[in-house]
Amino acid sequence: MVIFDVENPSEEELRAIDVHVLLPQQEPFVMIGTLVHFDETLTVTETEVQKSNIFVDDDCFSASGLMENIAQTCAARIGYVNKYILKKGIQLGFIGAVRNFEIIDLPHVGDVITTRVEVKEEVFGMTLAEASITCGDKVIVTSEIKIAVKEQEGA
């Protein structure tokens, strides 16, 4: 039973949520750690880069891992809305397009990255968002992403 204001959750309440309940992905393909902010347009996750991550190469989190981290931050947003606000199941999402994906630096094992996804537009099951990843105070990735959400069967 949810005992917090799902429309305006605190960071502490969000950190208590196991991200696995928000995502269609499961280990070893989970690329986000903790949901730390949710509102109508902005979703933020924090992730510690683990040596065991399948996208870590030479102690660095790869470009593929960073892109998947952004996509799963989008998925966590959709999963949160579905589970806590709309009271429905997890929906599958697909990357529809990526534009202006720029990597300034790769994070290393042990680094904590913060991923921000800001929704710019939602139309017909498509979400257009701007994303950035920071490590400490440094922006290390910027991108635009379009996510398509598959309608649930029988919906």
Side-chain angles (χ1 to χ4, degrees), residues 7-154:
E7 301 279 344
N8 298 294
S10 71
E11 181 177 333
E12 182 180 350
E13 291 162 335
L14 292 172
R15 285 183 179 276
I17 297 171
D18 178 355
V19 296
H20 295 84
V21 303
L22 305 177
L23 301 174
Q25 297 87 352
Q26 293 303 309
E27 298 298 344
F29 209 71
V30 174
M31 298 296 137
I32 61 173
T34 307
L35 182 61
V36 297
H37 180 86
F38 169 86
D39 66 31
E40 194 172 306
T41 58
L42 179 65
T43 303
V44 182
T45 60
E46 279 184 0
T47 307
E48 182 179 346
V49 179
Q50 303 288 324
K51 187 162 190 67
S52 60
N53 187 295
I54 61 174
F55 287 122
V56 166
D57 189 30
D58 290 330
D59 283 338
C60 288
F61 199 29
S62 70
S64 300
L66 292 166
M67 175 50 58
E68 188 60 29
N69 173 269
I70 290 170
Q72 288 187 22
T73 298
C74 293
R77 175 185 175 274
I78 294 163
Y80 181 90
V81 168
N82 284 343
K83 181 172 180 64
Y84 293 108
I85 297 172
L86 301 178
K87 309 285 192 226
K88 32 188 249 195
I90 292 175
Q91 288 179 282
L92 290 178
F94 303 92
I95 298 173
V98 175
R99 293 184 53 205
N100 304 319
F101 183 59
E102 181 181 359
I103 298 174
I104 295 114
D105 200 4
L106 295 174
H108 294 86
V109 169
D111 287 346
V112 174
I113 58 174
T114 302
T115 306
R116 297 172 52 91
V117 173
E118 186 172 357
V119 173
K120 294 301 179 187
E121 193 171 0
E122 287 185 292
V123 180
F124 303 119
M126 295 288 287
T127 301
L128 175 63
E130 290 181 355
S132 65
I133 300 176
T134 56
C135 186
D137 329 351
K138 183 179 178 188
V139 174
I140 61 170
V141 176
T142 58
S143 185
E144 295 170 22
I145 188 168
K146 191 180 293 183
I147 299 286
V149 177
K150 180 180 179 188
E151 284 304 311
Q152 292 179 310
E153 299 300 317

